Short mmCIF file of all heavy atoms in Angstrom, two decimals:
data_model
loop_
_atom_site.label_atom_id
_atom_site.label_comp_id
_atom_site.label_asym_id
_atom_site.label_seq_id
_atom_site.Cartn_x
_atom_site.Cartn_y
_atom_site.Cartn_z
N THR A 12 -2.29 105.02 163.12
CA THR A 12 -1.61 104.01 162.29
C THR A 12 -0.22 103.76 162.86
O THR A 12 0.55 104.70 163.08
CB THR A 12 -1.54 104.45 160.81
OG1 THR A 12 -0.75 103.50 160.10
CG2 THR A 12 -0.94 105.84 160.62
N ILE A 72 4.89 96.96 155.54
CA ILE A 72 4.76 98.40 155.84
C ILE A 72 4.03 99.11 154.70
O ILE A 72 3.19 99.99 154.94
CB ILE A 72 6.16 99.02 156.08
CG1 ILE A 72 6.80 98.44 157.35
CG2 ILE A 72 6.08 100.54 156.18
CD1 ILE A 72 6.04 98.70 158.63
N ASN A 76 0.52 101.21 155.13
CA ASN A 76 0.28 102.58 154.67
C ASN A 76 -0.95 102.65 153.76
O ASN A 76 -1.79 103.56 153.87
CB ASN A 76 1.51 103.12 153.95
CG ASN A 76 2.57 103.65 154.91
OD1 ASN A 76 2.42 104.74 155.44
ND2 ASN A 76 3.60 102.87 155.15
N ILE A 80 -4.78 104.56 154.33
CA ILE A 80 -5.46 105.46 153.40
C ILE A 80 -6.88 104.95 153.10
O ILE A 80 -7.86 105.72 153.14
CB ILE A 80 -4.63 105.60 152.11
CG1 ILE A 80 -3.30 106.30 152.43
CG2 ILE A 80 -5.39 106.38 151.05
CD1 ILE A 80 -2.26 106.19 151.33
N VAL A 91 -5.38 112.22 161.83
CA VAL A 91 -4.65 110.94 161.71
C VAL A 91 -3.35 111.07 162.50
O VAL A 91 -2.65 112.09 162.40
CB VAL A 91 -4.40 110.56 160.23
CG1 VAL A 91 -3.66 111.65 159.48
CG2 VAL A 91 -3.62 109.24 160.12
N SER A 93 0.24 109.14 163.29
CA SER A 93 1.18 108.09 162.88
C SER A 93 2.11 107.79 164.06
O SER A 93 2.76 108.68 164.60
CB SER A 93 2.00 108.58 161.67
OG SER A 93 3.14 107.77 161.50
N HIS A 95 4.77 105.86 164.09
CA HIS A 95 6.18 105.55 163.75
C HIS A 95 6.49 106.20 162.40
O HIS A 95 5.59 106.41 161.59
CB HIS A 95 6.37 104.03 163.66
CG HIS A 95 7.81 103.61 163.66
ND1 HIS A 95 8.60 103.69 162.54
CD2 HIS A 95 8.60 103.14 164.64
CE1 HIS A 95 9.83 103.26 162.83
NE2 HIS A 95 9.85 102.93 164.11
N LEU A 96 7.79 106.48 162.19
CA LEU A 96 8.19 107.10 160.92
C LEU A 96 7.69 106.33 159.71
O LEU A 96 7.31 106.92 158.70
CB LEU A 96 9.72 107.16 160.82
CG LEU A 96 10.48 108.34 161.40
CD1 LEU A 96 11.92 108.29 160.91
CD2 LEU A 96 9.83 109.66 161.01
N VAL A 97 7.70 104.99 159.81
CA VAL A 97 7.40 104.19 158.61
C VAL A 97 5.95 104.33 158.18
O VAL A 97 5.60 103.99 157.05
CB VAL A 97 7.76 102.70 158.81
CG1 VAL A 97 9.25 102.53 159.01
CG2 VAL A 97 6.98 102.09 159.97
N THR A 98 5.07 104.80 159.07
CA THR A 98 3.67 104.99 158.68
C THR A 98 3.39 106.43 158.28
O THR A 98 2.24 106.79 158.01
CB THR A 98 2.73 104.56 159.82
OG1 THR A 98 3.22 105.09 161.06
CG2 THR A 98 2.62 103.06 159.92
N SER A 99 4.43 107.25 158.24
CA SER A 99 4.22 108.67 157.90
C SER A 99 3.73 108.88 156.46
O SER A 99 2.89 109.77 156.23
CB SER A 99 5.50 109.47 158.15
OG SER A 99 6.55 109.00 157.34
N PRO A 100 4.18 108.10 155.46
CA PRO A 100 3.69 108.38 154.10
C PRO A 100 2.17 108.25 153.99
O PRO A 100 1.50 109.12 153.43
CB PRO A 100 4.41 107.32 153.24
CG PRO A 100 5.65 106.99 154.02
CD PRO A 100 5.26 107.07 155.45
N GLY A 101 1.62 107.18 154.56
CA GLY A 101 0.17 106.98 154.51
C GLY A 101 -0.56 108.06 155.28
O GLY A 101 -1.60 108.58 154.83
N ALA A 102 -0.03 108.42 156.46
CA ALA A 102 -0.69 109.41 157.30
C ALA A 102 -0.68 110.79 156.64
O ALA A 102 -1.70 111.49 156.60
CB ALA A 102 0.00 109.47 158.67
N VAL A 103 0.47 111.17 156.07
CA VAL A 103 0.57 112.48 155.43
C VAL A 103 -0.36 112.56 154.21
O VAL A 103 -1.10 113.54 154.02
CB VAL A 103 2.04 112.78 155.03
CG1 VAL A 103 2.11 113.98 154.09
CG2 VAL A 103 2.89 113.01 156.27
N LEU A 104 -0.35 111.48 153.41
CA LEU A 104 -1.19 111.46 152.20
C LEU A 104 -2.68 111.52 152.57
O LEU A 104 -3.46 112.26 151.96
CB LEU A 104 -0.88 110.21 151.37
CG LEU A 104 -1.55 110.12 150.01
CD1 LEU A 104 -1.22 111.35 149.16
CD2 LEU A 104 -1.11 108.87 149.28
N LEU A 105 -3.05 110.77 153.59
CA LEU A 105 -4.45 110.79 154.04
C LEU A 105 -4.84 112.19 154.51
O LEU A 105 -5.93 112.68 154.20
CB LEU A 105 -4.64 109.76 155.16
CG LEU A 105 -6.08 109.61 155.68
CD1 LEU A 105 -7.00 109.09 154.58
CD2 LEU A 105 -6.12 108.66 156.87
N GLY A 106 -3.93 112.80 155.27
CA GLY A 106 -4.19 114.16 155.75
C GLY A 106 -4.40 115.12 154.59
O GLY A 106 -5.32 115.95 154.62
N GLU A 107 -3.58 114.99 153.54
CA GLU A 107 -3.71 115.87 152.37
C GLU A 107 -5.03 115.61 151.64
O GLU A 107 -5.71 116.54 151.22
CB GLU A 107 -2.55 115.62 151.39
CG GLU A 107 -1.17 115.85 151.97
CD GLU A 107 -0.80 117.32 151.98
OE1 GLU A 107 -1.43 118.09 151.23
OE2 GLU A 107 0.10 117.70 152.76
N LEU A 108 -5.36 114.32 151.47
CA LEU A 108 -6.57 113.96 150.72
C LEU A 108 -7.83 114.45 151.41
O LEU A 108 -8.75 114.96 150.78
CB LEU A 108 -6.63 112.43 150.53
CG LEU A 108 -5.60 111.82 149.57
CD1 LEU A 108 -5.63 110.30 149.65
CD2 LEU A 108 -5.88 112.27 148.14
N SER A 113 -2.50 115.87 160.33
CA SER A 113 -1.77 114.61 160.60
C SER A 113 -0.71 114.89 161.65
O SER A 113 -0.02 115.91 161.61
CB SER A 113 -1.12 114.08 159.31
OG SER A 113 -0.18 115.00 158.83
N LEU A 114 -0.64 113.99 162.62
CA LEU A 114 0.35 114.12 163.71
C LEU A 114 1.35 112.97 163.60
O LEU A 114 0.95 111.83 163.32
CB LEU A 114 -0.32 114.05 165.08
CG LEU A 114 -1.14 115.26 165.52
CD1 LEU A 114 -2.52 115.24 164.88
CD2 LEU A 114 -1.25 115.29 167.04
N GLN A 115 2.58 113.26 163.84
CA GLN A 115 3.63 112.25 163.70
C GLN A 115 4.38 112.08 165.02
O GLN A 115 4.89 113.06 165.57
CB GLN A 115 4.63 112.67 162.61
CG GLN A 115 5.77 111.71 162.42
CD GLN A 115 5.30 110.35 161.90
OE1 GLN A 115 4.49 110.28 160.97
NE2 GLN A 115 5.76 109.27 162.53
N TYR A 116 4.43 110.85 165.54
CA TYR A 116 5.25 110.55 166.71
C TYR A 116 6.67 110.22 166.23
O TYR A 116 6.84 109.42 165.31
CB TYR A 116 4.71 109.34 167.47
CG TYR A 116 3.82 109.71 168.64
CD1 TYR A 116 2.43 109.75 168.49
CD2 TYR A 116 4.37 110.01 169.88
CE1 TYR A 116 1.61 110.09 169.56
CE2 TYR A 116 3.55 110.35 170.95
CZ TYR A 116 2.19 110.39 170.78
OH TYR A 116 1.39 110.73 171.84
N VAL A 117 7.68 110.84 166.84
CA VAL A 117 9.07 110.39 166.60
C VAL A 117 9.74 110.19 167.95
O VAL A 117 9.36 110.82 168.94
CB VAL A 117 9.89 111.39 165.73
CG1 VAL A 117 9.30 111.51 164.35
CG2 VAL A 117 10.04 112.73 166.38
N GLU A 121 15.27 106.20 165.24
CA GLU A 121 14.80 106.04 163.86
C GLU A 121 15.12 107.28 163.02
O GLU A 121 15.28 107.20 161.80
CB GLU A 121 13.31 105.69 163.84
CG GLU A 121 12.36 106.87 164.00
CD GLU A 121 12.17 107.30 165.45
OE1 GLU A 121 13.05 107.06 166.28
OE2 GLU A 121 11.13 107.92 165.74
N LEU A 122 15.25 108.43 163.66
CA LEU A 122 15.60 109.66 162.93
C LEU A 122 17.05 109.60 162.45
O LEU A 122 17.40 110.19 161.43
CB LEU A 122 15.42 110.88 163.84
CG LEU A 122 13.97 111.25 164.16
CD1 LEU A 122 13.93 112.29 165.25
CD2 LEU A 122 13.26 111.76 162.91
N ARG A 125 16.98 106.73 159.54
CA ARG A 125 16.21 107.04 158.32
C ARG A 125 16.08 108.56 158.19
O ARG A 125 14.99 109.12 158.34
CB ARG A 125 14.81 106.42 158.43
CG ARG A 125 14.81 104.90 158.45
CD ARG A 125 13.35 104.45 158.36
NE ARG A 125 13.22 103.03 158.15
CZ ARG A 125 12.99 102.16 159.13
NH1 ARG A 125 12.86 102.58 160.37
NH2 ARG A 125 12.86 100.87 158.86
N PRO A 126 17.20 109.23 157.91
CA PRO A 126 17.18 110.70 157.92
C PRO A 126 16.22 111.31 156.88
O PRO A 126 15.54 112.30 157.17
CB PRO A 126 18.64 111.08 157.64
CG PRO A 126 19.29 109.85 157.10
CD PRO A 126 18.54 108.70 157.63
N ARG A 127 16.14 110.70 155.69
CA ARG A 127 15.28 111.28 154.64
C ARG A 127 13.81 111.15 155.01
O ARG A 127 13.03 112.10 154.89
CB ARG A 127 15.55 110.61 153.30
CG ARG A 127 16.89 111.08 152.70
CD ARG A 127 17.23 110.36 151.44
NE ARG A 127 16.24 110.55 150.39
CZ ARG A 127 16.22 109.88 149.25
NH1 ARG A 127 17.13 108.96 149.03
NH2 ARG A 127 15.30 110.10 148.34
N LEU A 128 13.45 109.95 155.47
CA LEU A 128 12.06 109.74 155.89
C LEU A 128 11.74 110.63 157.10
O LEU A 128 10.63 111.16 157.22
CB LEU A 128 11.84 108.25 156.23
CG LEU A 128 10.40 107.83 156.51
CD1 LEU A 128 9.50 108.11 155.31
CD2 LEU A 128 10.33 106.34 156.88
N GLY A 129 12.73 110.80 157.96
CA GLY A 129 12.55 111.64 159.14
C GLY A 129 12.25 113.08 158.74
O GLY A 129 11.33 113.71 159.29
N ARG A 130 13.00 113.59 157.76
CA ARG A 130 12.77 114.96 157.30
C ARG A 130 11.38 115.09 156.67
O ARG A 130 10.66 116.05 156.89
CB ARG A 130 13.85 115.38 156.30
CG ARG A 130 14.98 116.20 156.94
CD ARG A 130 15.85 116.85 155.90
NE ARG A 130 16.41 115.91 154.96
CZ ARG A 130 17.47 115.15 155.20
NH1 ARG A 130 18.08 115.24 156.37
NH2 ARG A 130 17.94 114.32 154.30
N PHE A 131 11.02 114.08 155.86
CA PHE A 131 9.70 114.09 155.22
C PHE A 131 8.60 114.14 156.28
O PHE A 131 7.71 114.99 156.24
CB PHE A 131 9.54 112.82 154.34
CG PHE A 131 8.13 112.57 153.89
CD1 PHE A 131 7.60 113.23 152.79
CD2 PHE A 131 7.32 111.66 154.58
CE1 PHE A 131 6.30 113.00 152.38
CE2 PHE A 131 6.00 111.44 154.18
CZ PHE A 131 5.49 112.10 153.07
N ALA A 132 8.70 113.23 157.26
CA ALA A 132 7.63 113.09 158.24
C ALA A 132 7.50 114.34 159.11
O ALA A 132 6.38 114.79 159.41
CB ALA A 132 7.88 111.86 159.11
N THR A 133 8.63 114.90 159.51
CA THR A 133 8.57 116.01 160.46
C THR A 133 8.33 117.36 159.79
O THR A 133 8.07 118.34 160.47
CB THR A 133 9.88 116.07 161.28
OG1 THR A 133 10.98 116.17 160.38
CG2 THR A 133 10.04 114.85 162.16
N THR A 134 8.43 117.39 158.46
CA THR A 134 8.14 118.66 157.79
C THR A 134 6.78 118.63 157.08
O THR A 134 6.16 119.68 156.88
CB THR A 134 9.23 119.00 156.74
OG1 THR A 134 9.39 117.88 155.87
CG2 THR A 134 10.55 119.32 157.41
N ARG A 135 6.31 117.43 156.71
CA ARG A 135 5.04 117.35 155.98
C ARG A 135 3.84 117.12 156.88
O ARG A 135 2.70 117.37 156.49
CB ARG A 135 5.12 116.24 154.93
CG ARG A 135 6.20 116.48 153.87
CD ARG A 135 5.87 117.69 153.00
NE ARG A 135 4.66 117.48 152.24
CZ ARG A 135 4.61 116.86 151.07
NH1 ARG A 135 5.72 116.44 150.52
NH2 ARG A 135 3.47 116.69 150.44
N SER A 136 4.05 116.58 158.09
CA SER A 136 2.91 116.43 158.99
C SER A 136 2.64 117.77 159.66
O SER A 136 3.50 118.65 159.69
CB SER A 136 3.20 115.34 160.03
OG SER A 136 4.34 115.69 160.75
N ASN A 137 1.45 117.88 160.23
CA ASN A 137 1.09 119.18 160.82
C ASN A 137 1.68 119.37 162.21
O ASN A 137 1.80 120.50 162.67
CB ASN A 137 -0.44 119.30 160.89
CG ASN A 137 -1.05 119.20 159.50
OD1 ASN A 137 -1.54 118.15 159.10
ND2 ASN A 137 -0.97 120.29 158.74
N ALA A 138 1.97 118.28 162.86
CA ALA A 138 2.60 118.38 164.18
C ALA A 138 3.48 117.17 164.41
O ALA A 138 3.15 116.06 163.97
CB ALA A 138 1.55 118.47 165.28
N THR A 139 4.61 117.39 165.06
CA THR A 139 5.49 116.27 165.42
C THR A 139 5.50 116.17 166.94
O THR A 139 5.78 117.16 167.62
CB THR A 139 6.93 116.52 164.91
OG1 THR A 139 6.88 116.65 163.50
CG2 THR A 139 7.85 115.38 165.29
N ALA A 150 15.22 115.67 166.90
CA ALA A 150 14.31 115.98 165.79
C ALA A 150 14.73 117.30 165.13
O ALA A 150 14.73 117.40 163.90
CB ALA A 150 12.88 116.06 166.31
N ARG A 151 15.08 118.29 165.94
CA ARG A 151 15.52 119.57 165.36
C ARG A 151 16.77 119.37 164.52
O ARG A 151 16.90 119.89 163.42
CB ARG A 151 15.79 120.58 166.48
CG ARG A 151 14.53 121.33 166.93
CD ARG A 151 14.88 122.51 167.84
NE ARG A 151 15.31 122.09 169.15
CZ ARG A 151 14.49 121.87 170.17
NH1 ARG A 151 13.19 122.02 170.03
NH2 ARG A 151 14.96 121.48 171.34
N MET A 152 17.71 118.57 165.06
CA MET A 152 18.96 118.31 164.31
C MET A 152 18.68 117.53 163.04
O MET A 152 19.42 117.63 162.07
CB MET A 152 19.96 117.57 165.19
CG MET A 152 20.55 118.47 166.27
SD MET A 152 21.50 117.55 167.47
CE MET A 152 22.83 116.96 166.47
N ALA A 153 17.61 116.74 163.05
CA ALA A 153 17.27 115.94 161.86
C ALA A 153 16.49 116.76 160.84
O ALA A 153 16.07 116.23 159.81
CB ALA A 153 16.47 114.71 162.28
N GLY A 154 16.23 118.04 161.14
CA GLY A 154 15.58 118.91 160.16
C GLY A 154 14.12 119.19 160.44
O GLY A 154 13.43 119.77 159.59
N ALA A 155 13.62 118.77 161.61
CA ALA A 155 12.21 118.99 161.90
C ALA A 155 11.92 120.49 162.05
O ALA A 155 12.79 121.25 162.49
CB ALA A 155 11.83 118.26 163.19
N ASP A 156 10.72 120.86 161.67
CA ASP A 156 10.27 122.24 161.83
C ASP A 156 10.04 122.49 163.32
O ASP A 156 9.12 121.90 163.92
CB ASP A 156 8.99 122.43 161.01
CG ASP A 156 8.47 123.86 161.10
OD1 ASP A 156 8.97 124.62 161.96
OD2 ASP A 156 7.56 124.20 160.32
N ARG A 159 6.62 123.20 164.85
CA ARG A 159 5.60 122.14 164.88
C ARG A 159 5.96 121.03 165.87
O ARG A 159 5.34 119.98 165.87
CB ARG A 159 5.44 121.51 163.50
CG ARG A 159 4.99 122.51 162.45
CD ARG A 159 4.70 121.75 161.17
NE ARG A 159 4.80 122.62 160.01
CZ ARG A 159 4.68 122.19 158.77
NH1 ARG A 159 4.47 120.92 158.52
NH2 ARG A 159 4.77 123.03 157.76
#
Side-chain angles (χ1 to χ4, degrees):
Chain A
T12 174
I72 294 298
N76 278 283
I80 294 166
V91 57
S93 163
H95 194 281
L96 272 192
V97 296
T98 45
S99 62
V103 167
L104 187 56
L105 183 63
E107 300 279 341
L108 290 171
S113 62
L114 287 80
Q115 178 65 46
Y116 264 95
V117 297
E121 81 279 26
L122 289 169
R125 295 188 171 98
R127 286 175 61 190
L128 188 59
R130 263 192 304 281
F131 167 82
T133 56
T134 52
R135 298 294 296 275
S136 59
N137 300 99
T139 300
R151 275 191 288 272
M152 287 170 65
D156 181 348
R159 298 187 204 176

